[in-house]
């Protein structure tokens, strides 16, 4: 099965919320993983500086789970670099996503950003760039052909005023993973194509003592990401947040109120684990990966982790369904990945750029070896099936081919202050039922206060 899923995804991203920069590269890029992977530069990077001085580089990252391919990727590339550069030590500061976001804000306030840190694209990283905390990476990207390994247009989401400030680890869509065995145990013969069918399945699963939907809402982005799928449907397509920013709509628009209503139906139906707001994202994912939940609405970046878990071979994936007859299942929530940025105040700026060049150059090959190349942001041509990828990975690659546009997440689109109100507001819906019109008004008030 020859896959070309990133062509569709890159085009879809161009149809979503406007990127921070512009790209004139309209070339088509095939992406997947090959039996003999061949990214533009998948070999060892040639460093621009040679020195015997002892250097320690702090690498803040969000891959805490040792059972996942991404964790193994970081550790194996770190070990390889240290072996080839005995004067360099890479010190890992490993956190979960929300912990890292909080820690980085604290570090940024005191201008003590680690040598390499993790940022999200667009609106989330803009305050750090505006504060001069990140180093431009244009010179490093021009070495060894590294820039050409990235999918066309992807780096725009990490660019401001002609400079690239971070290198993404992936390019993903949000899907619904489901456990085939648990569906069969509950007597559910097919995956839901409408929200009404999904609610019926939730009730059936709940009655069978099966958690319908895994989530870890202590990390509040998880609930928001799921909610945005619903809004994408009730709005009849992408662009709601952009319309709000452009003054064409407000959060009190019927599409937003309808989305809050539908989301609350899921909560009230008991779709989520008890105490969801006390479970972090990793633990929430493990509820699904340990076979205790029937569905998991999350980004395609989890494909490799699912295949490395105890439910490997038992999992399929499908598009988020229509809501009240609205929306196109082939429009997805799009997730240009978290990205690696370098501190502008690094004491070892050149050495850090050398390491990140090596890391990013070798990431496609390493992720391929670990069966984790689906959703990669860098180009790798090839045949997944011949390379031994799972049926799930091939299914996900097929969904990429069907992408017909989509939206970015709330916190990658809105300014941080408005986003925080949104994240807290959605999180609160897991705890108590609210008037949906009041929730919409709360959003609009925050938006107007933080323009």
């Amino acid at each position: 099965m020859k896959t070309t899923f990133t062509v569709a995804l890159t085009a879809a991203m161009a149809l979503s919320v406007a990127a921070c920069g512009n790209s004139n590269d309209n070339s088509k890029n095939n992406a997947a993983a090959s039996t003999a992977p061949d990214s533009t530069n998948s070999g060892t990077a040639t460093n621009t500086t040679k020195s015997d001085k002892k250097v320690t580089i702090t690498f803040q990252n969000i891959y805490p789970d040792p059972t996942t391919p991404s964790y193994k990727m970081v550790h194996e590339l770190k070990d390889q670099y240290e072996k080839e550069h005995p004067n360099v030590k890479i010190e890992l500061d490993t956190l979960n996503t929300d912990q890292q976001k909080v820690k980085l804000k604290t570090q940024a306030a005191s201008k003590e950003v680690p040598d390499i840190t993790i940022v999200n694209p667009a609106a989330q990283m803009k305050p750090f760039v505006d504060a001069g905390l990140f180093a431009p990476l244009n010179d490093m990207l021009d070495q060894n052909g590294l820039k050409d390994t990235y999918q066309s247009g992807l780096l725009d989401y990490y660019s401001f005023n002609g400079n690239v400030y971070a290198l993404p680890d992936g390019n993903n869509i949000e899907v619904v993973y489901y456990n085939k065995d648990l569906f069969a145990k509950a007597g559910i013969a097919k995956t839901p194509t409408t929200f009404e069918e999904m609610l019926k399945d939730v009730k059936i699963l709940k009655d069978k003592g099966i958690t319908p939907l895994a989530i870890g809402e202590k990390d509040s982005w998880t609930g928001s990401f799921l909610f945005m799928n619903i809004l994408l449907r009730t709005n009849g397509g992408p662009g709601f947040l952009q319309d709000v920013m452009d003054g064409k709509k407000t959060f009190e628009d019927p599409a937003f109120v309808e989305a809050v209503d539908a989301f609350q139906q899921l909560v009230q139906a008991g779709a989520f684990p008890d105490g969801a707001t006390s479970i972090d994202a990793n633990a929430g994912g493990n509820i699904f990966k340990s076979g205790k939940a029937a569905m998991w609405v999350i980004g395609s970046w989890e494909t490799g982790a699912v295949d490395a878990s105890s439910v490997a071979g038992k999992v399929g994936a499908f598009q988020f369904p229509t809501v009240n007859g609205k929306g196109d299942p082939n429009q997805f929530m799009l997730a240009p990945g978290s990205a690696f940025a370098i501190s502008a105040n690094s004491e070892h700026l050149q050495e850090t750029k050398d390491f990140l060049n090596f890391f990013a150059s070798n990431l496609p090959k390493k992720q391929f070896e670990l069966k984790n190349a689906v959703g990669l942001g860098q180009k790798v041509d090839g045949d997944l099936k011949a390379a031994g990828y799972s049926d799930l990975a091939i299914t996900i690659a097929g969904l990429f081919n069907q992408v017909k546009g989509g939206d970015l997440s709330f916190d990658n689109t809105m300014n941080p202050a408005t986003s925080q109100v949104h994240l807290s507001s959605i999180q609160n819906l897991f705890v108590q039922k609210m008037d949906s019109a009041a929730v919409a008004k709360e959003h609009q008030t925050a938006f107007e206060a933080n323009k």
Side-chain angles (χ1 to χ4, degrees):
M1 176 179 175
K2 195 77 170 179
T3 57
T4 56
F5 58 89
T6 53
V7 178
L9 183 57
T10 303
M13 290 171 66
L15 296 172
S16 67
V17 178
C20 299
N22 293 301
S23 172
N24 294 319
D25 179 5
N26 295 316
S27 60
K28 292 184 178 180
N29 300 320
N30 291 336
S34 62
T35 308
D38 180 23
S39 70
T40 302
N41 180 35
S42 60
T44 301
T46 302
N47 290 344
T48 59
T49 60
K50 295 291 182 182
S51 172
D52 292 329
K53 72 175 181 178
K54 298 294 183 181
V55 172
T56 298
I57 295 169
T58 302
F59 185 2
Q60 195 172 82
N61 68 91
I62 52 171
Y63 311 113
D65 187 344
T67 67
T68 63
S70 291
Y71 176 97
K72 295 172 184 175
M73 174 271 296
V74 167
H75 283 260
E76 290 179 17
L77 289 181
K78 165 194 174 295
D79 292 346
Q80 181 183 343
Y81 194 81
E82 288 178 335
K83 182 177 180 181
E84 296 176 3
H85 302 80
N87 62 306
V88 179
K89 179 182 178 183
I90 310 299
E91 188 174 89
L92 297 178
D93 179 20
T94 302
L95 306 156
N96 71 33
T97 301
D98 270 24
Q99 289 171 339
Q100 187 270 333
K101 285 182 180 180
V102 172
K103 186 172 184 178
L104 179 59
K105 286 180 182 178
T106 302
Q107 292 169 324
S110 58
K111 298 189 183 300
E112 296 179 350
V113 173
D115 298 298
I116 299 174
T117 190
I118 298 289
V119 291
N120 283 341
Q124 285 201 58
M125 66 181 289
K126 188 175 186 297
F128 299 101
V129 174
D130 290 346
L133 295 174
F134 294 156
L137 304 179
N138 301 40
D139 56 341
M140 186 262 281
L141 275 164
D142 288 338
Q143 297 169 15
N144 314 312
L146 178 58
K147 184 176 183 179
D148 293 333
T149 69
Y150 288 91
Q151 298 161 19
S152 177
L154 180 58
L155 292 176
D156 289 348
Y157 289 86
Y158 311 87
S159 300
F160 299 83
N161 301 318
N163 291 314
V164 180
Y165 287 94
L167 305 183
D169 63 358
N171 194 6
N172 292 273
I173 55 176
E174 190 167 19
V175 300
V176 186
Y177 294 97
Y178 74 103
N179 185 311
K180 297 176 182 179
D181 286 359
L182 292 183
F183 265 51
K185 181 179 178 181
I188 301 172
K190 65 182 185 68
T191 57
T193 59
T194 69
F195 192 71
E196 294 73 23
E197 290 175 354
M198 178 176 272
L199 286 172
K200 288 179 182 177
D201 290 344
V202 163
K203 185 178 186 306
I204 293 169
L205 290 161
K206 189 79 174 173
D207 289 345
K208 292 286 186 180
I210 300 167
T211 299
L213 276 161
I215 201 167
E217 181 56 12
K218 183 179 180 180
D219 297 341
S220 54
W221 65 268
T222 56
S224 170
F225 207 21
L226 194 161
F227 168 80
M228 286 297 299
N229 284 274
I230 300 174
L231 179 59
L232 179 62
R233 299 290 183 257
T234 59
N235 191 54
F240 180 87
L241 296 182
Q242 189 65 52
D243 284 346
V244 171
M245 290 192 293
D246 293 342
K248 298 176 182 177
K249 290 183 178 179
T250 74
F251 283 105
E252 294 178 271
D253 186 272
F256 192 86
V257 176
E258 184 180 0
V260 177
D261 279 335
F263 186 84
Q264 294 203 93
Q265 284 182 276
L266 272 181
V267 176
Q268 297 303 313
F272 304 107
D274 293 337
T277 57
S278 64
I279 303 169
D280 69 25
N282 289 322
N286 285 333
I287 294 173
F288 180 83
K289 290 184 285 184
S290 62
K292 297 173 183 175
M295 291 177 282
W296 187 22
V297 184
I298 200 73
S300 53
W301 63 77
E302 291 288 353
T303 303
V306 171
D307 280 337
S309 74
S310 62
V311 294
K314 302 175 183 178
V315 175
F318 60 93
Q319 303 103 314
F320 198 87
T322 60
V323 178
N324 299 329
K326 300 175 182 177
D328 182 345
N330 289 321
Q331 291 174 333
F332 291 79
M333 285 306 300
L334 307 172
S338 54
F340 309 102
I342 292 178
S343 170
N345 299 318
S346 171
E347 293 181 7
H348 310 291
L349 185 58
Q350 187 57 55
E351 291 87 353
T352 302
K353 286 184 176 182
D354 290 342
F355 168 68
L356 186 56
N357 181 289
F358 164 88
F359 182 86
S361 297
N362 285 274
L363 186 148
K365 180 180 179 182
K366 182 57 66 176
Q367 291 284 50
F368 166 80
E369 291 173 356
L370 295 168
K371 299 290 188 293
N372 200 36
V374 172
L376 200 63
Q378 288 163 278
K379 295 179 285 186
V380 190
D381 290 333
D383 187 330
L384 291 178
K385 192 171 183 65
Y389 274 68
S390 69
D391 290 342
L392 174 63
I394 292 169
T395 296
I396 296 290
L399 292 179
F400 273 91
N401 276 334
Q402 295 173 226
V403 175
K404 294 179 181 177
D407 270 332
L408 298 188
S409 66
F410 195 105
D411 55 354
N412 282 337
T413 306
M414 289 289 166
N415 65 62
T418 304
S419 294
Q420 188 54 58
V421 170
H422 162 74
L423 292 171
S424 298
S425 181
I426 297 300
Q427 187 181 57
N428 188 47
L429 299 182
F430 285 84
V431 179
Q432 59 183 329
K433 193 173 189 304
M434 299 290 293
D435 176 67
S436 296
V439 173
K441 185 174 181 60
E442 179 184 26
H443 280 73
Q444 184 61 25
T445 300
F447 174 72
E448 291 173 356
N450 294 291
K451 282 184 181 178

